[in-house]
Amino acid sequence: MKEELELLRQMVRIRRFEERCAELYSSAQIRGFLHLYVGEEAVATGVLSELDPQDSVVSTYRDHGHALARGVPMDAVMAEMFGKVTGCSRGRGGSMHLFDASHRLFGGNAIVGGGLPIAAGLALGHLMRGEPRVVACFFGEGAAAEGEFHEVLNLSALWRLPVLFCCENNQYAMGTAFAKEHAAADLALRAGSYGLAAWSVDGMDVLAVKESARRAAEEIRAGGGPCLLELRTYRFRAHSMYDPERYRDKEEVAHWRDLDPIDRLRNAMRPEFTDDDLAALEAEVAAEIDLAVATAEAADVEPVADLTRFVTSEVTP
Amino acid sequence: MKTTYREALREAIRDAMRRDDRVFLMGEDVGSYGGCYAVSLGLLEEFGPERVRDTPLSESAFVGAGIGAALNGMRPIVEIMTVNFSLLALDQILNNAATLLHMSGGQFAVPVVIRMTTGAGRQLAAQHSHSLEGWYAHIPGLRVLAPATLEDARGMVWPALCDPDPVLIFEHNGLYNLAGELADDAGPVDITRAAVRRPGRDVTLITYGGSLTKTLAAADDLAAGGIEAEVVDLRTLRPLDSDTVLECVRKTHRAVVVDEGWRSGGLSAEIAARIGEEALYDLDAPVRRVCSAEVPIPYARHLEEAALPQTASIAAAAREVVRGG
């Protein structure tokens, strides 16, 4: 029950955080692109609950869930959305580029497939030093059409790199449905053809995700080489705030909304976990978000004089 | 000691790998084959397959893996067979290596070294012969080096590895067999300054990499005709050492930029622009440029030769600025 409660708390944090972000976007306090993870929370929450602090995470432009589930403080993430210097990337990255060295979060990468080679390299570092670490690399099913997917799966299997590839199959590469993009439907089979263990998981079931991640991470740490999980999920909201959603019908969205990972876990936790318990949890999360927003609003922006800081390191060779 | 550019590079890599366990080499055919240009010959035997890693033909994957390994505390030297193939890894170099430090607010430096061959002159046709180092010199966050001498081939690798940020090293394919004397104690060199390779008073010839030999030969020709040309070897294409260039131009009052890259929007344009911005009133003649013809470099020898800067065309340009054509 304690474990379920923590998973539920994490998913609710991500959900409510993003709902607040959408409001803030509508009131123009957040700009740029905003890609919401609503509906996909079980994936980040389940996978990252199985990682150790010394492990590493590589994310995509839809990275709020990964950052929060990894433990990046919410106020640092919210401040980044506001473009403040207290943001986890000093306001240089924004929504799509959340970084945190202390949590070994190597960034949201906004080039589809661009994070996979980085993950392979992080894993190579661990392998060469003989460390039993896992690099969790998140990407969407759209990335499975990029060259990097094929190059990196092959390289990782060849060198037995400790990468946990987490393919978040939310059915749409922006507005392009899976079937319009991929001739072969089985991503696990495709990954398996490169010589790594790969299987599909119900990405709307956080307990199933957690269990698969546990199994995969165990194999990877034991030197078994990379694994790929195809996490079948769905984003309930538009691709980004600019998306009019012409490409999918309401019935389909409604079908997936019935599979809401938060409701699902909450229902599984009945009757021990009461409505009062849930209300208390929601109140706690709301307070955390309120504080994050207030802190972000009050924070300073980076001085323009620092614009060119960190183009290169502040030590000379 | 007698050595070659190729051997000097190999010694530099060997020395770095002996000095620092975090250093390793990876790329296509760097191991069993000994390197496409035989630079890494023998290193597999000395350091083993963990530290001399043959990669699949997956430029984006292994360059990105170098970036990831660098982020994770290693000091990779990634070899890309030629700059032409590096375009398959351009996303990794630009969007990750050059960007992560700034975009992460200073959290993630990328101390990777990426070596590659560049340039024409061996009748390898367009897809093996281009000089695209100027493109990389356009990118903030990168250091771009072009060793043109034995000393620099021997001395640039270690300081590049010590640089906390990504460094690209461009080795002109015509230089590998360059032979000569190298001091027994040759070691790391400065990678921030241009070098005056030949002093002169009448005109400054500014060049780098594979064009240095031709430019020095042109300077000899010019001397025979009474023109003393100063030759500047840029060595570091980014960040450019403008100070050295401007100092020389202010002394000779004339400048010719020699660049095997294309003229339009290229490195030669940048140098000419800086001279125009900072030293226009010191000039006695317009800056001239000798660049490659704006064509894909062709196979046939006579066409390839016609497409590239040559000793004669460099000398002709210098005479023009000195004597007013």
Side-chain angles (χ1 to χ4, degrees):
Chain A
M1 189 65 182
K2 189 162 171 265
E3 190 174 276
E4 279 90 340
L5 180 59
E6 182 48 34
L7 294 171
L8 184 69
R9 195 179 73 83
Q10 202 61 267
M11 290 197 292
V12 171
R13 281 179 82 231
I14 298 168
R15 176 76 55 92
R16 303 294 173 241
F17 173 88
E18 290 204 311
E19 288 169 349
R20 183 68 68 88
C21 285
E23 286 171 23
L24 293 163
Y25 196 90
S26 301
S27 61
Q29 284 172 280
I30 296 174
R31 300 312 307 166
F33 279 140
L34 183 71
H35 303 92
L36 300 180
Y37 199 58
V38 174
E40 304 184 38
E41 296 90 346
V43 174
T45 302
V47 169
L48 295 176
S49 71
E50 288 296 327
L51 254 55
D52 295 336
Q54 302 93 330
D55 294 332
S56 305
V57 181
V58 174
S59 178
T60 70
Y61 55 84
R62 197 182 302 283
D63 57 354
H64 314 147
H66 304 137
L68 292 172
R70 181 59 179 164
V72 182
M74 189 185 283
D75 55 2
V77 179
M78 189 59 90
E80 188 61 30
M81 313 296 282
F82 276 75
K84 298 296 182 75
V85 71
T86 51
C88 59
S89 309
R90 293 177 72 91
R92 275 108 178 276
S95 161
M96 298 187 285
H97 305 293
L98 304 174
F99 290 84
D100 188 344
S102 62
H103 289 86
R104 297 189 66 80
L105 172 61
F106 290 87
N109 200 308
I111 307 295
V112 174
L116 279 86
I118 301 282
L122 291 166
L124 179 59
H126 290 311
L127 183 79
M128 291 182 75
R129 291 195 296 265
E131 299 162 352
R133 305 283 177 247
V134 172
V135 179
C137 178
F138 292 93
F139 56 94
E141 87 288 349
E146 295 281 3
E148 276 76 11
F149 174 85
H150 304 272
E151 291 190 10
V152 170
L153 259 56
N154 176 56
L155 184 75
S156 302
L158 185 70
W159 289 357
R160 301 179 78 76
L161 300 176
V163 186
L164 174 54
F165 293 103
C166 301
C167 180
E168 302 182 313
N169 180 0
N170 69 8
Q171 320 299 327
Y172 289 91
M174 203 161 96
T176 302
F178 187 95
K180 284 189 175 177
E181 192 186 20
H182 297 279
D186 192 334
L187 286 179
L189 187 68
R190 190 183 305 178
S193 76
Y194 287 104
L196 56 139
W199 64 92
S200 298
V201 186
D202 179 356
M204 308 304 276
D205 178 352
V206 69
L207 296 173
V209 173
K210 184 177 171 63
E211 172 56 19
S212 274
R214 189 193 59 73
R215 261 175 59 206
E218 202 172 274
E219 274 188 43
I220 293 166
R221 277 187 223 286
C227 283
L228 180 141
L229 303 179
E230 183 210 2
L231 301 137
R232 294 189 175 166
T233 184
Y234 201 80
R235 57 173 164 73
F236 294 168
R237 301 182 63 124
H239 166 76
S240 74
M241 303 304 278
Y242 292 100
D243 169 14
E245 289 193 84
R246 294 189 191 96
Y247 49 86
R248 62 185 190 181
D249 55 44
K250 292 190 168 59
E251 291 73 32
E252 182 185 287
V253 179
H255 163 74
W256 282 90
R257 278 187 181 274
D258 285 343
L259 304 173
D260 190 316
I262 294 178
D263 295 346
R264 199 152 153 188
L265 179 62
R266 192 261 169 279
N267 289 332
M269 290 165 71
R270 291 178 199 278
E272 291 85 351
F273 189 74
T274 65
D275 287 348
D276 285 350
D277 292 334
L278 182 63
L281 173 67
E282 290 278 9
E284 178 200 319
V285 169
E288 186 187 11
I289 294 169
D290 286 344
L291 185 61
V293 172
T295 312
E297 282 175 337
D300 290 328
V301 293
E302 185 166 25
V304 171
D306 286 352
L307 173 66
T308 57
R309 275 188 80 186
F310 309 124
V311 172
T312 53
S313 294
E314 293 179 340
V315 285
T316 44
Chain B
M1 68 181 151
K2 275 268 187 210
T3 192
T4 63
Y5 185 91
R6 171 185 291 109
E7 289 164 356
L9 276 169
R10 184 186 307 143
E11 192 51 35
I13 297 168
R14 177 184 286 133
D15 183 31
M17 291 181 71
R18 284 178 178 165
R19 282 188 195 214
D20 189 337
D21 287 345
R22 300 172 302 172
V23 175
F24 67 99
L25 176 68
M26 68 174 160
E28 292 158 358
D29 276 322
V30 298
S32 307
Y33 192 98
C36 183
Y37 289 87
V39 168
S40 52
L41 196 65
L43 297 182
L44 173 67
E45 290 72 14
E46 182 173 350
F47 296 101
E50 283 293 305
R51 296 183 69 198
V52 180
R53 307 185 78 94
D54 281 320
T55 66
L57 308 192
S58 305
E59 284 81 1
S60 186
F62 71 74
V63 170
I67 294 165
L71 285 166
N72 201 3
M74 303 300 285
R75 291 292 180 274
I77 303 173
V78 182
E79 177 177 312
I80 304 177
M81 215 176 264
T82 88
V83 68
N84 307 274
F85 311 162
S86 79
L87 302 188
L88 295 165
L90 184 55
D91 166 54
Q92 289 297 320
I93 297 172
L94 168 58
N95 285 315
N96 287 334
T99 300
L100 290 183
L101 181 67
H102 191 265
M103 194 163 70
S104 69
Q107 294 179 82
F108 290 113
V110 184
V112 66
V113 172
I114 304 173
R115 299 172 38 242
M116 61 188 104
T117 304
T118 186
R122 291 161 50 88
Q123 287 193 263
L124 300 177
Q127 293 176 348
H128 283 75
S129 299
H130 289 147
S131 290
L132 306 177
E133 51 276 7
W135 290 8
Y136 288 103
H138 181 65
I139 301 174
L142 301 181
R143 180 179 295 279
V144 180
L145 306 178
T149 64
L150 298 178
E151 288 75 15
D152 282 351
R154 175 65 183 83
M156 282 184 164
V157 172
W158 181 251
L161 284 163
C162 294
D163 193 316
D165 302 314
V167 179
L168 273 52
I169 301 179
F170 287 92
E171 302 158 8
H172 194 284
N173 72 55
L175 289 171
Y176 288 117
N177 291 327
L178 179 73
E181 279 294 324
L182 183 66
D184 290 339
D185 61 350
V189 296
D190 177 85
I191 56 167
T192 64
R193 301 300 302 269
V196 177
R197 299 296 185 195
R198 176 194 173 112
R201 60 168 192 270
D202 299 322
V203 58
T204 299
L205 310 180
I206 302 148
T207 190
Y208 67 91
S211 297
L212 177 62
T213 314
K214 291 173 182 174
T215 305
L216 287 168
D220 285 344
D221 287 358
L222 291 164
I227 295 173
E228 287 302 324
E230 183 145 274
V231 176
V232 175
D233 173 5
L234 291 170
R235 302 179 67 245
T236 302
L237 308 184
R238 184 182 186 98
L240 272 174
D241 174 14
S242 297
D243 291 348
T244 297
V245 171
L246 294 170
E247 199 178 306
C248 292
V249 171
R250 288 190 177 115
K251 188 176 72 179
T252 64
H253 308 291
R254 295 174 177 87
V256 174
V257 187
V258 182
D259 177 10
E260 201 178 302
W262 292 304
R263 177 189 307 253
S264 299
L267 197 58
S268 66
E270 176 63 27
I271 293 161
R274 289 192 189 198
I275 295 170
E277 285 169 344
E278 303 291 332
L280 182 66
Y281 301 114
D282 294 297
L283 290 174
D284 286 344
V287 175
R288 287 293 309 266
R289 290 185 279 161
V290 182
C291 302
S292 283
E294 304 225 352
V295 296
I297 303 297
Y299 159 70
R301 179 184 293 278
H302 68 294
L303 292 177
E304 183 182 45
E305 284 175 353
L308 301 176
Q310 301 293 358
T311 300
S313 56
I314 298 165
R319 283 189 198 99
E320 211 177 293
V321 297
V322 172
R323 294 179 182 151

